[in-house]
Amino acid sequence: MRPVTAPRPRPRRAWQAVERTLDAWAGSAGNPLRHLGALGCLLFAWLVGSGVFLFVVLDTSVSGAWQSIESLSRSVWGLASVPRSTHRYAADAFVWVVFAHLLRELMFGHYAGFRRFSWLTGLPLPLLIMVCAIGGFWLHWDQLGQYSALATAGLLDALPVFASPLTRNFLHDGAVNDRLFSLFIFVHLGVPLLLLFGLWFHVQRIAHVQFLPPRPLARGASLALLLVALAAPVASHAPADLSRVPVVLRLDWWLLFVHPLTDALSPRTVWALGGSVLLLLLALPWLARRPRAPVAQVDSAHCSGCERCVADCPYAAITMVAHVDGRPGRAMANVDADLCAGCGICAGACPSSTPFRGLSVLTTGIDMPQQPVDALRTQIRDGLAAMPGERRILLLGCDHGARVQALAGPQVLPLSLLCTGLLPPSFIEFALRGHADAVLVASCRGGGCEFRLGTRWTHERLAGTREPHLRDGVTRHRVMTVEADAGEDVVVRSALASLLTRLSVVRGCTDD
């Protein structure tokens, strides 16, 4: 008997409620909260593109920097300032998206076990983003850039590293020269290269990375960015003058929030708060005491070396190695226990996971010990045979989605899987050939799969675009899919009612 899934924490349920609200407005494909990582990559691309243009026109000298940027606003219709405004607003959105992505993973508890590597390699990225963003204001060398440079120097002076204050040595009237300005450029251009390397490192243990969001969301986000840039162009402050203290500043609170925070508290307090939060986030993978899910197990006698499990694994946990039988050119799957999520998607991809095999115990090339495909075959066969109703619907759901077990009834046999990606399509045909009148597969919403790719692979397999696929001979009106996250039991209930209505209509037409 498989252990009952642990109750979902409240923060996760609260976040999912917000996601469902946005789904109702834009659909899962257009919901930014379901594609935060890919949306961040899109905004980073906008930053790089607009940044290249700005670097071309920028006079990299203290005396000419402000004038070269200001001249963009004085061009014909001011359209040349659009790249600058786009650069600023893309940076604002980038910071928001990255911190939202971090918050989502935190609220979902995605920081321990097989996700530990991604969590630890992702934490430095927001810090690099903030360093790069703050350094960008210095290149304008207006009053806002002056304020930011002085505030940053004061923050660094609080560290027991520098023998004398930076503001006295480098940031006073007459001391700012082109050499110091070159350092500003290095900070703003060099840190993005570290950020790019950090992003590459961050996704090393993730397969099938989606670097761009779905097209509707990508187009909508890009259009919104351009419209905001046209409607509210970014304007420079007066040129920097270290002999004067700026009185009125139009502060960018998203990118420069650390400066007013330092003014309100103190540099030492800000360092203490930031360091404490960072240490706590770094320690979370070890503070979270969770039982490790059993990992996939390979049966060398039934593994054909087809590599489908390798292609479908969401976390690159499976590789091919030389087969234990020693035959030249023959390979078998090998599971890295540290990377395996225990989702079962690999079992759903295995060609030997077919219930039509004439084995008393269905043994597959790769399987999940907590929910083997042989047990699934027995549950489907015996459960449908014991149902008394005229209509028999097999309802297959996900442990992390809607609670299908709550929908059990005389006409419905609910079975909850580790992930719907564990379901080999041949099991649907097996159920329909037996006693089932129809099969309803309830997967998580797009972008909401606990294991990233379960929903996607399920739809592609049933649509016949991914192996193993549902055979063409299966009557399609007897198979239905629905997407429903945790708490959306009513969505599955509505799909069940629709499926029953469809069966009644088809039977009525057949009787006529």
Side-chain angles (χ1 to χ4, degrees), residues 18 37 168 338:
V18 176
R168 187 175 68 188
D338 292 332

Side-chain angles (χ1 to χ4, degrees), residues 204-454:
Q204 277 303 290
R205 296 188 177 183
I206 300 177
H208 304 280
V209 180
Q210 185 179 3
F211 286 106
L212 292 177
R215 288 184 180 180
L217 180 57
R219 291 169 181 169
S222 300
L223 180 60
L225 198 61
L226 291 173
L227 290 177
V228 172
L230 288 170
V234 175
S236 298
H237 290 68
D241 185 352
L242 290 172
S243 63
R244 298 180 180 180
V245 177
V247 178
V248 179
L249 293 174
R250 299 182 300 276
L251 200 64
D252 188 319
W253 289 92
W254 278 113
L255 303 180
L256 299 177
F257 70 89
V258 68
H259 297 332
L261 185 64
T262 305
D263 294 339
L265 301 175
S266 69
R268 291 182 182 274
T269 303
V270 170
W271 280 116
L273 286 175
S276 300
V277 171
L278 180 60
L279 288 176
L280 177 60
L281 294 177
L282 288 171
L284 276 179
W286 290 273
L287 295 177
R289 297 180 179 180
R290 299 175 185 171
R292 179 64 190 268
V295 301
Q297 296 180 350
V298 178
D299 189 311
S300 59
H302 294 83
C303 179
S304 63
C306 66
E307 301 189 19
R308 288 182 185 173
C309 56
V310 177
D312 282 9
C313 180
Y315 299 100
I318 306 175
T319 55
M320 301 304 295
V321 297
H323 204 282
V324 293
D325 63 9
R327 293 170 59 182
R330 195 175 180 204
M332 60 176 284
N334 180 66
V335 178
D336 188 329
D338 292 332
L339 302 183
C340 181
C343 61
I345 291 177
C346 53
C350 185
S352 62
S353 298
T354 171
F356 297 110
R357 296 177 66 193
L359 298 174
S360 57
V361 177
L362 179 56
T363 306
T364 67
I366 190 167
D367 209 350
M368 302 306 300
Q370 67 272 45
Q371 193 172 41
V373 292
D374 179 68
L376 181 60
R377 180 175 71 170
T378 301
Q379 287 177 308
I380 292 176
R381 181 184 59 215
D382 297 348
L384 290 174
M387 291 180 69
E390 294 182 1
R391 293 281 193 276
R392 296 180 179 88
I393 295 181
L394 174 62
L395 173 58
L396 298 165
C398 173
D399 285 349
H400 302 276
R403 297 174 304 163
V404 296
Q405 298 290 358
L407 304 177
Q411 296 179 310
V412 180
L413 173 64
L415 296 176
S416 186
L417 310 177
L418 297 171
C419 173
T420 55
L422 179 146
L423 175 68
S426 55
F427 272 73
I428 295 179
E429 183 179 0
F430 174 75
L432 294 176
R433 283 194 189 183
H435 299 276
D437 294 289
V439 176
L440 175 61
V441 180
S443 58
C444 298
R445 287 189 178 271
C449 176
E450 177 70 9
F451 305 108
R452 297 183 50 244
L453 301 174

Side-chain angles (χ1 to χ4, degrees), residues 115-187:
R115 291 187 174 96
R116 182 171 59 188
F117 177 84
S118 297
W119 174 260
L120 295 177
T121 55
L123 284 178
L125 301 185
L127 302 179
L128 294 176
I129 292 170
M130 294 308 303
V131 170
C132 180
I134 293 174
F137 287 91
W138 306 344
L139 298 185
H140 299 169
W141 205 232
D142 57 1
Q143 290 183 349
L144 183 60
Q146 171 186 325
Y147 165 73
S148 177
L150 291 171
T152 302
L155 191 62
L156 293 175
D157 284 337
L159 296 175
V161 176
F162 304 101
S164 57
L166 294 174
T167 51
R168 187 175 68 188
N169 288 342
F170 301 105
L171 294 174
H172 61 83
D173 194 23
V176 178
N177 52 35
D178 292 348
R179 181 173 297 179
L180 181 62
F181 206 73
S182 298
L183 177 62
F184 293 169
I185 294 174
F186 173 77
V187 170

Side-chain angles (χ1 to χ4, degrees), residues 52-66:
V52 168
F53 173 84
L54 293 175
F55 185 71
V56 170
V57 302
L58 176 68
D59 185 338
T60 56
S61 66
V62 176
S63 58
W66 183 87

